[in-house]
Amino acid sequence: MFSLSLVEHTLRLPPHLLSLPLEKAVKHELDELFLDKVVPKLGLCVSVYEIKNITGGFIFPGDGAPTYTVKCRLVIFRPFVGEIIDAKLKDYDENGLRLSLGFFDDIYVPSILLPSPSNFKPDPENKNRRRWVWEYGDANDGEQTSGDRFPIEEIGETIRFRVQSINYPSIPLEQPNNSKPFAPMVITGSLDNDGLGPISWWE
Amino acid sequence: MKILKANDGPLTNFEVLDYLRSRGVSKEVAVTVAASEYKVFQYLVETPAYSQTRENVTNFVRNVKKYDLSKAEVINLINIRPSLPVGIYLMVEKCDARLGETIAEQLAEAVTECLPPPPAQPENQDVQESDALAGGDPEGNDEPDEPEPEAVRENLGDIDEKAEDDNLMGVS
């Protein structure tokens, strides 16, 4: 899920940090720059692991701040394709499920990647809602007479999924006002395998 | 910004948790790191990584060398810690051809032996916590700024005293 990345960055140290020891000031700037931000093709930056070296310190004409070139290692959240991850169910609708890791929310399981056959059925307990139900029927039997039904019920349930792909959509130039906030990193997950789905199914 | 090495080494959940702990984070103390880092800690605390130690993990890696698994598969096993063969089949590709049923069971036993079980979770609490986290996300980026400006403001006081050129500061 996580990996280290070696990154080199040229950063300008604002004058109000000049009284702090150099490493602390640089770390503060790096934190502000990278933490909780997605770097395209790299992943979500979780933490600054270590600062390898700081060089430079040149002051460009007309600027009050020194510019340093910093080499550092960052802890990046970037699952590999095929990785198995446990996440909590955040939301679901007729298109599929949305899962969350607390620090990362844009994990989608589209309806085609749910265990087949699955249906979005009216909830027998609560007539207003519908929910996803996995109908585990006999493969030879066209009708699911002897099948078991496994519902995906609660928001907050822990679901084990396999990473199908990771996309970094490019920043849109314009967004209509009511649309969802732009997600720079989207993970598509799959539940279509033995052992995947809510962990309560398999224990 | 230049990416020198996009993948300088994969980290297991345990290693990230260990690193966060070394920064001083624990279940009660959350101020030593940024809010987003604490969210990662809160996620990891509920995974099997919470009860693992460095010895467990190195021991496990040594024990499974003989099964000839890829690095990704070993990482999956350490992070998820499947106790049943169904989990082994899930994580090891072409399990039937490479391992076969009996060996898969042996591997499941090795996993349960070497790695401690995940922490027991009181379910209701988790649901409430995850809702709170989900609700707090849009503000997550703002929070790290709050403790920092205070520390900086104290230092500005120092600059005022040291500054020789009073024209730069509006004070006095």
Side-chain angles (χ1 to χ4, degrees), chain A residues 19-91:
Chain A
S19 52
L20 297 174
L22 182 60
E23 253 202 51
K24 238 178 150 184
V26 168
K27 174 128 199 324
H28 176 260
E29 272 304 293
L30 288 175
D31 277 351
E32 230 168 282
L33 199 59
F34 287 117
L35 279 201
D36 213 24
K37 306 264 176 24
V38 171
V39 178
K41 305 290 180 283
L42 204 58
L44 172 72
C45 179
V46 164
S47 186
V48 176
Y49 189 71
E50 63 169 351
I51 299 177
K52 287 215 127 166
N53 67 9
I54 308 175
T55 52
F58 305 111
I59 304 181
F60 290 105
D63 195 2
T67 305
Y68 292 95
T69 307
V70 183
K71 242 195 230 164
C72 59
R73 282 207 289 186
L74 307 169
V75 177
I76 304 277
F77 167 69
R78 181 188 56 229
F80 51 88
V81 172
E83 181 164 1
I84 315 286
I85 301 183
D86 283 351
K88 296 217 159 73
L89 179 62
K90 183 167 177 181
D91 202 3

Side-chain angles (χ1 to χ4, degrees), chain A residues 1-9 15-17 19-20 27-28 31-32 34-36 39-40 42 46-49 71 73 75 78 80 82-88 90 101-103 105 155-156 158 160 162 193-196 202-203, chain B residues 1-13 16 19-20 23 34 36-37 39-40 43-44 46 48 72-73 75-76 79-80 82 84 86 90-91 121 123 126-127 130-131 133-134 137 140-141 145 148 152 155-156 158-159 162:
Chain A
M1 237 196 287
F2 300 98
S3 59
L4 286 175
S5 278
L6 188 60
V7 156
E8 185 181 273
H9 183 65
H16 66 258
L17 297 177
S19 52
L20 297 174
K27 174 128 199 324
H28 176 260
D31 277 351
E32 230 168 282
F34 287 117
L35 279 201
D36 213 24
V39 178
L42 204 58
V46 164
S47 186
V48 176
Y49 189 71
K71 242 195 230 164
R73 282 207 289 186
V75 177
R78 181 188 56 229
F80 51 88
E83 181 164 1
I84 315 286
I85 301 183
D86 283 351
K88 296 217 159 73
K90 183 167 177 181
L101 288 176
F103 58 94
D105 280 345
I155 302 273
T158 305
R160 189 162 286 171
R162 164 182 276 137
N193 223 315
D194 283 343
L196 296 177
W202 301 100
E203 273 166 15
Chain B
M1 177 186 94
K2 209 166 43 165
I3 302 175
L4 294 176
K5 221 175 169 189
N7 194 351
D8 202 10
L11 295 174
T12 55
N13 286 1
V16 178
Y19 160 70
L20 287 173
R23 291 270 298 270
S36 52
E37 289 168 315
K39 278 193 193 146
V40 177
Y43 168 74
L44 291 175
E46 292 167 13
E73 288 165 350
I75 293 186
N76 263 341
N79 284 346
I80 303 280
L84 301 168
V86 94
L90 180 62
M91 295 183 199
Q121 301 167 17
E123 281 191 16
D126 284 345
V127 173
S130 64
D131 281 344
L133 286 176
D137 266 350
N141 281 333
D145 288 338
E148 303 297 331
V152 171
N155 289 325
L156 278 181
D158 289 341
I159 295 180
K162 289 184 204 155

Side-chain angles (χ1 to χ4, degrees), chain A residues 102-123:
Chain A
F103 58 94
F104 185 78
D105 280 345
D106 299 307
I107 304 176
Y108 296 97
V109 181
S111 48
I112 39 174
L113 292 175
L114 287 172
S116 53
S118 276
N119 281 311
F120 201 42
K121 281 232 163 100
D123 195 338

Side-chain angles (χ1 to χ4, degrees), chain B residues 24-69:
Chain B
V25 195
S26 69
K27 275 188 169 158
E28 300 86 41
V29 179
V31 287
T32 41
V33 294
S36 52
E37 289 168 315
Y38 191 63
K39 278 193 193 146
V40 177
F41 180 78
Q42 283 178 317
Y43 168 74
L44 291 175
V45 146
E46 292 167 13
T47 62
Y50 185 61
S51 23
Q52 288 170 356
T53 65
R54 204 158 278 274
E55 294 162 0
N56 287 347
V57 176
T58 33
N59 202 11
F60 177 70
V61 171
R62 219 180 313 131
N63 284 349
V64 296
K65 263 209 168 90
K66 58 183 186 221
Y67 297 106
D68 210 17
L69 303 170

